[in-house]
Coordinates of all heavy atoms in Angstrom, one line a residue:
M233 N 0.7 3.3 -0.4 CA 1.1 3.7 -1.8 C 0.3 3.0 -2.8 O 0.0 1.8 -2.7 CB 2.6 3.4 -1.9 CG 3.2 4.1 -3.2 SD 5.0 3.9 -3.2 CE 5.3 2.2 -3.4
E234 N 0.0 3.7 -3.9 CA -0.7 3.1 -5.0 C 0.1 2.1 -5.7 O 1.3 2.3 -5.9 CB -1.1 4.2 -6.0 CG -2.0 5.2 -5.5 CD -3.4 5.2 -6.1 OE1 -3.5 4.8 -7.3 OE2 -4.4 5.5 -5.5
K235 N -0.5 1.1 -6.1 CA 0.2 0.1 -6.9 C 0.5 0.7 -8.3 O -0.3 1.4 -8.9 CB -0.6 -1.2 -7.1 CG -0.6 -2.1 -5.9 CD -1.3 -3.4 -6.4 CE -1.4 -4.3 -5.2 NZ -1.9 -5.6 -5.7
V236 N 1.6 0.2 -8.9 CA 2.0 0.6 -10.2 C 1.3 -0.5 -11.1 O 1.4 -1.7 -10.8 CB 3.5 0.6 -10.5 CG1 3.8 0.8 -11.9 CG2 4.1 1.7 -9.6
S237 N 0.6 0.0 -12.1 CA 0.0 -1.0 -13.0 C 0.8 -1.1 -14.3 O 1.1 -0.1 -14.9 CB -1.5 -0.7 -13.2 OG -1.7 -0.4 -14.5
V238 N 1.0 -2.3 -14.7 CA 1.8 -2.6 -16.0 C 0.9 -3.4 -16.9 O 0.4 -4.5 -16.5 CB 3.1 -3.3 -15.7 CG1 3.8 -3.6 -17.0 CG2 4.0 -2.6 -14.7
K239 N 0.7 -2.9 -18.0 CA -0.2 -3.6 -19.0 C 0.7 -3.9 -20.3 O 1.1 -3.0 -21.0 CB -1.4 -2.8 -19.4 CG -2.3 -2.6 -18.2 CD -3.7 -2.1 -18.7 CE -4.6 -1.8 -17.5 NZ -4.4 -2.3 -16.3
V240 N 0.9 -5.2 -20.5 CA 1.7 -5.6 -21.6 C 0.7 -5.9 -22.7 O -0.2 -6.8 -22.6 CB 2.5 -6.9 -21.3 CG1 3.3 -7.3 -22.5 CG2 3.4 -6.6 -20.1
C241 N 0.8 -5.2 -23.8 CA -0.1 -5.4 -25.0 C 0.2 -6.8 -25.6 O 1.3 -7.0 -26.1 CB -0.1 -4.3 -26.0 SG -1.3 -4.6 -27.3
L242 N -0.8 -7.6 -25.7 CA -0.6 -8.9 -26.4 C -1.5 -8.9 -27.7 O -1.7 -10.0 -28.2 CB -1.0 -10.0 -25.5 CG -0.1 -10.1 -24.2 CD1 -0.6 -11.3 -23.3 CD2 1.4 -10.3 -24.5
G243 N -1.9 -7.8 -28.1 CA -2.7 -7.7 -29.4 C -1.8 -8.2 -30.5 O -0.6 -8.2 -30.4
T244 N -2.4 -8.4 -31.7 CA -1.7 -9.0 -32.8 C -0.4 -8.2 -33.2 O 0.7 -8.7 -33.3 CB -2.6 -9.1 -34.0 OG1 -3.8 -9.7 -33.5 CG2 -2.0 -10.0 -35.1
T245 N -0.6 -6.9 -33.4 CA 0.5 -6.1 -33.9 C 1.7 -6.1 -32.9 O 2.8 -6.4 -33.3 CB 0.1 -4.6 -34.1 OG1 -1.1 -4.6 -34.9 CG2 1.2 -3.8 -34.8
C246 N 1.4 -5.9 -31.6 CA 2.4 -5.9 -30.6 C 3.0 -7.3 -30.5 O 4.3 -7.4 -30.3 CB 1.9 -5.4 -29.3 SG 1.5 -3.7 -29.3
F247 N 2.2 -8.3 -30.6 CA 2.7 -9.6 -30.5 C 3.7 -9.9 -31.6 O 4.8 -10.4 -31.3 CB 1.5 -10.6 -30.5 CG 1.9 -12.0 -30.0 CD1 2.0 -12.3 -28.6 CD2 2.3 -13.0 -30.9 CE1 2.4 -13.5 -28.2 CE2 2.6 -14.2 -30.5 CZ 2.7 -14.5 -29.1
V248 N 3.3 -9.6 -32.8 CA 4.2 -9.8 -34.0 C 5.5 -9.0 -33.8 O 6.5 -9.4 -34.2 CB 3.4 -9.5 -35.3 CG1 4.4 -9.4 -36.5 CG2 2.3 -10.4 -35.5
M249 N 5.3 -7.8 -33.3 CA 6.5 -6.9 -33.2 C 7.3 -7.2 -31.9 O 8.2 -6.4 -31.6 CB 6.0 -5.4 -33.1 CG 5.3 -5.0 -34.3 SD 6.3 -4.7 -35.8 CE 7.1 -3.2 -35.4
G250 N 7.0 -8.3 -31.2 CA 7.9 -8.7 -30.2 C 7.4 -8.7 -28.8 O 8.2 -8.9 -27.8
S251 N 6.1 -8.5 -28.6 CA 5.6 -8.5 -27.2 C 5.7 -9.9 -26.6 O 5.6 -10.1 -25.4 CB 4.3 -7.9 -27.0 OG 3.2 -8.7 -27.5
A252 N 5.8 -10.9 -27.5 CA 6.0 -12.3 -26.9 C 7.2 -12.3 -25.9 O 7.1 -12.9 -24.9 CB 6.2 -13.2 -28.0
N253 N 8.3 -11.5 -26.3 CA 9.4 -11.5 -25.4 C 9.1 -10.8 -24.0 O 9.8 -11.0 -23.1 CB 10.6 -10.7 -26.0 CG 11.1 -11.3 -27.2 OD1 11.0 -12.6 -27.4 ND2 11.5 -10.5 -28.2
L254 N 8.1 -10.0 -24.1 CA 7.7 -9.2 -22.9 C 6.9 -10.0 -21.9 O 6.8 -9.6 -20.8 CB 7.0 -7.9 -23.3 CG 7.7 -7.0 -24.2 CD1 6.8 -5.8 -24.7 CD2 8.9 -6.4 -23.5
Q255 N 6.4 -11.1 -22.4 CA 5.6 -11.9 -21.5 C 6.4 -12.4 -20.3 O 5.9 -12.7 -19.2 CB 5.1 -13.1 -22.2 CG 3.9 -12.7 -23.1 CD 3.2 -13.9 -23.7 OE1 2.7 -14.8 -22.9 NE2 3.2 -14.0 -25.0
E256 N 7.8 -12.4 -20.4 CA 8.6 -12.7 -19.2 C 8.4 -11.7 -18.1 O 8.7 -12.1 -17.0 CB 10.0 -13.0 -19.6 CG 10.8 -11.8 -20.2 CD 12.2 -12.2 -20.5 OE1 13.0 -12.3 -19.6 OE2 12.6 -12.2 -21.7
L257 N 8.0 -10.5 -18.5 CA 7.7 -9.5 -17.4 C 6.7 -10.1 -16.4 O 6.7 -9.7 -15.2 CB 7.2 -8.2 -18.0 CG 8.2 -7.3 -18.7 CD1 7.5 -6.3 -19.5 CD2 9.1 -6.7 -17.7
I258 N 5.8 -10.9 -16.9 CA 4.7 -11.4 -16.1 C 5.2 -12.3 -15.0 O 4.7 -12.4 -13.9 CB 3.6 -12.0 -17.0 CG1 2.9 -10.9 -17.8 CG2 2.6 -12.8 -16.2 CD1 2.0 -11.3 -18.9
D259 N 6.4 -12.8 -15.2 CA 7.1 -13.6 -14.2 C 8.1 -12.7 -13.4 O 8.2 -12.8 -12.2 CB 7.9 -14.8 -14.8 CG 7.0 -15.8 -15.4 OD1 5.9 -16.0 -14.9 OD2 7.3 -16.3 -16.5
I260 N 8.9 -11.9 -14.2 CA 9.9 -11.1 -13.5 C 9.4 -10.1 -12.5 O 9.9 -9.9 -11.4 CB 10.8 -10.3 -14.6 CG1 11.4 -11.3 -15.5 CG2 11.8 -9.4 -13.9 CD1 12.1 -10.6 -16.7
V261 N 8.4 -9.4 -13.0 CA 7.9 -8.2 -12.2 C 7.4 -8.6 -10.8 O 7.9 -8.1 -9.8 CB 6.8 -7.4 -13.0 CG1 6.1 -6.4 -12.1 CG2 7.5 -6.7 -14.1
P262 N 6.5 -9.6 -10.7 CA 6.1 -10.0 -9.3 C 7.3 -10.5 -8.5 O 7.4 -10.3 -7.3 CB 5.1 -11.2 -9.5 CG 4.7 -11.0 -10.9 CD 5.8 -10.4 -11.7
A263 N 8.3 -11.2 -9.1 CA 9.4 -11.7 -8.4 C 10.2 -10.5 -7.8 O 10.8 -10.6 -6.7 CB 10.3 -12.6 -9.3
K264 N 10.3 -9.5 -8.6 CA 11.2 -8.3 -8.3 C 10.5 -7.3 -7.3 O 11.1 -6.8 -6.4 CB 11.6 -7.6 -9.5 CG 12.7 -6.6 -9.3 CD 13.4 -6.2 -10.6 CE 14.4 -5.1 -10.2 NZ 14.7 -4.2 -11.2
Y265 N 9.2 -7.1 -7.6 CA 8.5 -6.0 -6.9 C 7.4 -6.5 -6.0 O 6.8 -5.7 -5.3 CB 7.9 -5.0 -7.9 CG 8.9 -4.3 -8.8 CD1 9.1 -4.8 -10.1 CD2 9.7 -3.3 -8.3 CE1 10.1 -4.2 -10.9 CE2 10.6 -2.7 -9.1 CZ 10.8 -3.1 -10.4 OH 11.7 -2.5 -11.2
G266 N 7.2 -7.8 -5.9 CA 6.1 -8.3 -5.1 C 4.8 -7.7 -5.4 O 4.5 -7.4 -6.6
D267 N 4.0 -7.3 -4.4 CA 2.7 -6.8 -4.7 C 2.6 -5.2 -4.9 O 1.6 -4.6 -4.9 CB 1.6 -7.2 -3.6 CG 2.0 -6.7 -2.2 OD1 3.0 -5.9 -2.1 OD2 1.3 -7.1 -1.3
K268 N 3.8 -4.6 -5.1 CA 3.8 -3.2 -5.3 C 3.4 -2.9 -6.8 O 3.1 -1.8 -7.1 CB 5.2 -2.6 -5.1 CG 5.4 -2.5 -3.6 CD 6.7 -1.6 -3.3 CE 7.9 -2.5 -3.5 NZ 9.2 -1.9 -3.1
V269 N 3.5 -3.9 -7.6 CA 3.2 -3.7 -9.0 C 2.3 -4.8 -9.5 O 2.4 -6.0 -9.1 CB 4.5 -3.8 -9.8 CG1 4.3 -3.6 -11.3 CG2 5.6 -2.8 -9.3
D270 N 1.3 -4.4 -10.3 CA 0.4 -5.4 -10.9 C 0.7 -5.5 -12.3 O 0.7 -4.5 -13.0 CB -1.1 -4.8 -10.8 CG -1.8 -5.3 -9.6 OD1 -1.5 -6.4 -9.1 OD2 -2.8 -4.6 -9.2
V271 N 0.9 -6.6 -12.8 CA 1.3 -6.8 -14.2 C 0.3 -7.7 -14.9 O -0.1 -8.7 -14.3 CB 2.8 -7.3 -14.4 CG1 3.0 -8.6 -13.7 CG2 3.2 -7.3 -15.8
S272 N -0.1 -7.3 -16.1 CA -1.0 -8.2 -16.8 C -0.9 -8.1 -18.3 O -0.4 -7.0 -18.8 CB -2.5 -8.0 -16.4 OG -2.8 -6.7 -16.6
G273 N -1.3 -9.1 -19.0 CA -1.3 -9.0 -20.5 C -2.7 -8.5 -20.9 O -3.7 -9.0 -20.3
V274 N -2.7 -7.6 -21.8 CA -4.0 -7.1 -22.2 C -4.2 -7.2 -23.7 O -3.2 -7.2 -24.5 CB -4.2 -5.6 -21.8 CG1 -4.2 -5.5 -20.3 CG2 -3.1 -4.8 -22.4
P275 N -5.4 -7.2 -24.2 CA -5.6 -7.2 -25.7 C -5.3 -5.8 -26.2 O -5.0 -4.9 -25.4 CB -7.1 -7.5 -25.8 CG -7.7 -7.4 -24.5 CD -6.7 -7.3 -23.5
C276 N -5.2 -5.6 -27.5 CA -4.8 -4.4 -28.1 C -5.2 -3.1 -27.3 O -6.3 -2.9 -27.0 CB -5.4 -4.3 -29.5 SG -4.9 -2.8 -30.4
L277 N -4.2 -2.3 -27.0 CA -4.4 -1.1 -26.3 C -4.9 0.0 -27.2 O -5.2 1.1 -26.8 CB -3.1 -0.6 -25.7 CG -2.5 -1.4 -24.5 CD1 -1.0 -1.1 -24.3 CD2 -3.3 -1.2 -23.3
G278 N -5.0 -0.3 -28.5 CA -5.6 0.7 -29.4 C -4.5 1.7 -29.9 O -4.8 2.7 -30.5
L279 N -3.3 1.5 -29.5 CA -2.2 2.4 -29.9 C -1.6 2.1 -31.2 O -1.2 3.0 -31.9 CB -1.1 2.4 -28.8 CG -1.6 2.8 -27.4 CD1 -0.6 2.3 -26.4 CD2 -1.8 4.3 -27.4
C280 N -1.6 0.9 -31.6 CA -1.0 0.5 -32.8 C -1.6 1.1 -34.0 O -1.0 1.6 -35.0 CB -0.9 -1.0 -33.0 SG -2.5 -1.8 -32.9
S281 N -3.0 1.2 -34.0 CA -3.6 1.8 -35.2 C -3.5 3.3 -35.3 O -3.3 3.8 -36.3 CB -5.1 1.4 -35.2 OG -5.6 1.7 -33.9
V282 N -3.4 3.9 -34.1 CA -3.2 5.4 -34.1 C -1.9 5.7 -34.6 O -1.7 6.7 -35.4 CB -3.3 5.9 -32.6 CG1 -3.1 7.4 -32.5 CG2 -4.6 5.5 -31.9
D283 N -0.9 4.9 -34.3 CA 0.5 5.2 -34.6 C 1.0 4.4 -35.7 O 2.2 4.3 -35.8 CB 1.2 4.9 -33.3 CG 2.3 5.9 -32.9 OD1 2.2 7.0 -33.5 OD2 3.1 5.6 -32.0
W284 N 0.1 3.9 -36.5 CA 0.5 2.8 -37.4 C 1.7 3.1 -38.3 O 2.6 2.4 -38.5 CB -0.7 2.2 -38.1 CG -0.3 1.1 -39.1 CD1 -0.4 1.2 -40.4 CD2 0.4 -0.1 -38.7 NE1 0.1 0.0 -40.9 CE2 0.6 -0.8 -39.9 CE3 0.7 -0.7 -37.5 CZ2 1.2 -2.1 -40.0 CZ3 1.3 -2.0 -37.6 CH2 1.5 -2.6 -38.8
E285 N 1.6 4.3 -38.9 CA 2.5 4.7 -39.9 C 4.0 4.6 -39.4 O 4.9 4.3 -40.1 CB 2.3 6.2 -40.3 CG 1.7 6.3 -41.7 CD 1.5 7.7 -42.0 OE1 0.5 8.3 -41.6 OE2 2.4 8.2 -42.8
F286 N 4.1 5.0 -38.1 CA 5.4 4.9 -37.5 C 5.4 3.9 -36.4 O 5.8 4.1 -35.3 CB 5.8 6.3 -36.9 CG 5.5 7.4 -37.7 CD1 4.3 8.1 -37.6 CD2 6.4 7.8 -38.7 CE1 4.0 9.2 -38.4 CE2 6.2 8.9 -39.5 CZ 5.0 9.6 -39.4
S287 N 4.8 2.8 -36.7 CA 4.5 1.8 -35.6 C 5.7 1.6 -34.7 O 6.8 1.3 -35.1 CB 4.0 0.5 -36.2 OG 3.6 -0.3 -35.1
K288 N 5.4 1.9 -33.5 CA 6.4 1.7 -32.4 C 6.0 0.6 -31.5 O 6.4 0.6 -30.4 CB 6.5 3.0 -31.6 CG 6.9 4.3 -32.4 CD 8.4 4.3 -32.7 CE 9.0 5.6 -33.1 NZ 8.4 6.1 -34.4
A289 N 5.3 -0.4 -32.1 CA 5.0 -1.5 -31.3 C 6.2 -2.3 -31.0 O 7.2 -2.2 -31.7 CB 4.0 -2.4 -32.1
P290 N 6.3 -3.1 -29.9 CA 5.2 -3.3 -29.0 C 5.1 -2.2 -27.9 O 6.1 -1.6 -27.6 CB 5.7 -4.7 -28.3 CG 7.1 -4.6 -28.4 CD 7.5 -4.0 -29.7
Y291 N 3.9 -2.1 -27.5 CA 3.6 -1.1 -26.5 C 3.3 -1.7 -25.1 O 2.7 -2.8 -25.0 CB 2.3 -0.3 -26.9 CG 2.4 0.5 -28.1 CD1 2.0 0.0 -29.3 CD2 3.0 1.8 -28.0 CE1 2.1 0.8 -30.5 CE2 3.1 2.5 -29.2 CZ 2.6 2.1 -30.4 OH 2.7 2.8 -31.5
V292 N 3.7 -1.0 -24.1 CA 3.4 -1.4 -22.7 C 3.0 -0.2 -22.0 O 3.6 0.9 -22.3 CB 4.7 -2.0 -22.0 CG1 4.3 -2.3 -20.6 CG2 5.1 -3.3 -22.7
K293 N 2.0 -0.3 -21.2 CA 1.6 0.9 -20.4 C 2.0 0.7 -18.9 O 1.7 -0.4 -18.4 CB 0.1 1.1 -20.4 CG -0.3 2.2 -21.4 CD -1.8 2.4 -21.3 CE -2.2 3.8 -20.9 NZ -3.6 4.1 -20.9
V294 N 2.7 1.7 -18.4 CA 3.1 1.6 -17.0 C 2.3 2.8 -16.4 O 2.7 4.0 -16.7 CB 4.6 1.8 -16.8 CG1 4.9 1.8 -15.3 CG2 5.3 0.6 -17.5
N295 N 1.3 2.6 -15.5 CA 0.4 3.6 -15.1 C -0.1 4.3 -16.4 O -0.6 3.6 -17.3 CB 1.0 4.5 -14.1 CG 1.1 3.9 -12.7 OD1 0.5 2.9 -12.5 ND2 1.9 4.5 -11.8
N296 N 0.1 5.6 -16.5 CA -0.4 6.3 -17.7 C 0.7 6.5 -18.7 O 0.5 7.2 -19.7 CB -1.1 7.6 -17.3 CG -2.4 7.3 -16.6 OD1 -3.1 6.4 -17.0 ND2 -2.7 8.1 -15.6
E297 N 1.9 6.0 -18.5 CA 3.0 6.2 -19.4 C 2.9 5.1 -20.4 O 2.9 3.9 -20.1 CB 4.3 6.1 -18.7 CG 4.6 7.3 -17.7 CD 4.6 8.6 -18.4 OE1 5.2 8.7 -19.5 OE2 4.1 9.5 -17.9
V298 N 3.0 5.5 -21.7 CA 3.0 4.6 -22.8 C 4.5 4.3 -23.2 O 5.2 5.3 -23.4 CB 2.2 5.0 -24.0 CG1 2.5 4.1 -25.2 CG2 0.8 5.2 -23.7
I299 N 4.9 3.1 -23.1 CA 6.3 2.8 -23.6 C 6.2 2.2 -25.0 O 5.5 1.2 -25.2 CB 6.9 1.8 -22.6 CG1 6.9 2.4 -21.2 CG2 8.4 1.5 -23.0 CD1 7.5 1.6 -20.2
K300 N 6.9 2.9 -25.9 CA 6.9 2.4 -27.2 C 8.1 1.6 -27.5 O 9.1 1.7 -26.8 CB 7.0 3.6 -28.2 CG 5.9 4.6 -28.0 CD 6.2 5.9 -28.8 CE 4.9 6.8 -28.7 NZ 5.1 8.0 -29.5
E301 N 8.0 0.7 -28.5 CA 9.1 -0.2 -28.7 C 9.7 -0.8 -27.4 O 10.9 -0.7 -27.1 CB 10.2 0.5 -29.5 CG 9.7 1.0 -30.8 CD 10.8 1.7 -31.7 OE1 11.5 2.6 -31.1 OE2 10.9 1.5 -32.9
A302 N 8.7 -1.3 -26.7 CA 9.1 -1.7 -25.3 C 10.0 -2.9 -25.3 O 9.9 -3.8 -26.1 CB 7.8 -2.1 -24.6
T303 N 10.9 -2.8 -24.3 CA 11.8 -3.9 -24.0 C 11.6 -4.2 -22.5 O 11.2 -3.3 -21.7 CB 13.2 -3.6 -24.3 OG1 13.6 -2.5 -23.5 CG2 13.5 -3.3 -25.7
V304 N 12.1 -5.3 -22.1 CA 12.1 -5.6 -20.6 C 12.8 -4.5 -19.8 O 12.3 -4.0 -18.8 CB 12.7 -7.0 -20.4 CG1 12.9 -7.3 -18.9 CG2 11.8 -8.1 -20.9
E305 N 14.0 -4.1 -20.3 CA 14.8 -3.1 -19.6 C 14.0 -1.8 -19.5 O 14.0 -1.1 -18.5 CB 16.1 -2.8 -20.4 CG 17.1 -3.9 -20.3 CD 16.7 -5.1 -21.2 OE1 15.9 -4.9 -22.2 OE2 17.0 -6.3 -20.8
K306 N 13.4 -1.3 -20.7 CA 12.6 -0.1 -20.6 C 11.5 -0.1 -19.6 O 11.2 0.9 -18.9 CB 12.1 0.2 -22.0 CG 13.0 0.8 -23.0 CD 12.2 1.4 -24.2 CE 13.1 1.6 -25.4 NZ 12.2 2.0 -26.6
V307 N 10.8 -1.2 -19.6 CA 9.7 -1.4 -18.7 C 10.1 -1.3 -17.3 O 9.6 -0.6 -16.4 CB 8.8 -2.6 -19.0 CG1 7.8 -2.9 -18.0 CG2 8.2 -2.5 -20.4
L308 N 11.2 -2.1 -17.0 CA 11.6 -2.1 -15.6 C 12.1 -0.7 -15.1 O 11.9 -0.3 -14.0 CB 12.8 -3.1 -15.4 CG 12.4 -4.6 -15.6 CD1 13.6 -5.5 -15.4 CD2 11.3 -5.0 -14.6
S309 N 12.8 0.0 -16.0 CA 13.2 1.3 -15.6 C 12.1 2.3 -15.4 O 12.1 3.1 -14.5 CB 14.4 1.9 -16.5 OG 13.8 2.5 -17.6
E310 N 11.0 2.2 -16.2 CA 9.8 3.0 -16.0 C 9.1 2.6 -14.7 O 8.6 3.5 -13.9 CB 8.8 2.9 -17.2 CG 7.6 3.8 -17.1 CD 7.9 5.3 -17.0 OE1 8.9 5.7 -17.7 OE2 7.3 6.0 -16.3
I311 N 9.1 1.3 -14.4 CA 8.5 0.9 -13.1 C 9.3 1.6 -11.9 O 8.7 2.1 -11.0 CB 8.5 -0.6 -12.9 CG1 7.6 -1.3 -13.9 CG2 8.1 -1.0 -11.5 CD1 7.6 -2.8 -14.0
D312 N 10.6 1.6 -12.0 CA 11.4 2.2 -11.0 C 11.1 3.7 -10.8 O 11.0 4.2 -9.8 CB 12.9 2.0 -11.3 CG 13.3 0.6 -11.0 OD1 12.7 -0.1 -10.2 OD2 14.3 0.1 -11.6
K313 N 10.9 4.3 -12.0 CA 10.6 5.8 -12.0 C 9.2 6.0 -11.3 O 9.1 6.9 -10.5 CB 10.5 6.3 -13.4 CG 11.5 7.3 -13.7 CD 11.7 7.6 -15.2 CE 10.6 8.5 -15.8 NZ 10.8 8.6 -17.3
Q314 N 8.3 5.2 -11.7 CA 6.9 5.3 -11.1 C 6.9 5.1 -9.6 O 6.2 5.7 -8.8 CB 5.9 4.4 -11.8 CG 5.7 4.7 -13.2 CD 4.9 6.0 -13.4 OE1 4.1 6.4 -12.6 NE2 5.1 6.7 -14.5
L315 N 7.7 4.1 -9.2 CA 7.8 3.8 -7.7 C 8.5 4.8 -6.9 O 8.2 5.0 -5.8 CB 8.5 2.4 -7.5 CG 7.7 1.2 -7.9 CD1 8.6 -0.1 -7.8 CD2 6.5 1.0 -7.0
A316 N 9.3 5.6 -7.6 CA 10.1 6.6 -6.9 C 9.3 7.9 -6.7 O 9.7 8.8 -6.0 CB 11.4 6.9 -7.7
K317 N 8.1 8.0 -7.4 CA 7.3 9.2 -7.3 C 6.8 9.5 -5.9 O 6.4 8.5 -5.2 CB 6.1 9.1 -8.3 CG 6.5 9.5 -9.6 CD 5.3 9.6 -10.5 CE 5.7 10.0 -11.9 NZ 4.6 10.0 -12.9
Ligands
FES132 S1 -1.8 -4.6 -30.8 FE1 -0.8 -3.5 -29.2 S2 -1.6 -1.6 -29.3 FE2 -2.6 -2.7 -30.8

């Protein structure tokens, strides 16, 4: 099975909008899913400028799904969805 990839945006906009809280995913995800999921912090995903007017930062990408206004709960439930595919 392909690994699910999780990219937590740590760019300035997302960081200011709360991705600092999402950094705990970097500990939680490997503890919960082991090597089925790869999680990493990445620089600006380029989404904040596209969507700036309605900025929905922080953004997290789970495979190709973009999660807006990401929270730990939203990210974990998307990971479960991707793993169930
Ligand atoms: S800072 Fe996160 S998408 Fe730009």
Side-chain angles (χ1 to χ4, degrees):
M233 192 171 65
E234 298 247 327
K235 281 191 182 188
V236 172
S237 117
V238 179
K239 297 195 183 337
V240 179
C241 182
L242 300 176
T244 312
T245 309
C246 290
F247 195 82
V248 169
M249 299 286 284
S251 72
N253 298 330
L254 299 173
Q255 285 188 57
E256 60 182 290
L257 284 167
I258 289 166
D259 296 324
I260 297 173
V261 167
K264 187 163 178 204
Y265 299 100
D267 60 7
K268 285 191 280 188
V269 180
D270 265 336
V271 60
S272 56
V274 296
C276 181
L277 291 165
L279 298 164
C280 56
S281 48
V282 178
D283 222 10
W284 177 244
E285 254 183 278
F286 313 96
S287 186
K288 299 281 195 301
Y291 294 98
V292 175
K293 256 183 121 178
V294 178
N295 285 346
N296 289 322
E297 291 301 316
V298 172
I299 304 183
K300 302 172 176 182
E301 298 178 317
T303 60
V304 170
E305 291 70 29
K306 281 194 196 173
V307 172
L308 293 179
S309 84
E310 184 60 37
I311 292 172
D312 287 335
K313 243 166 77 185
Q314 294 289 330
L315 284 173
K317 276 190 179 173

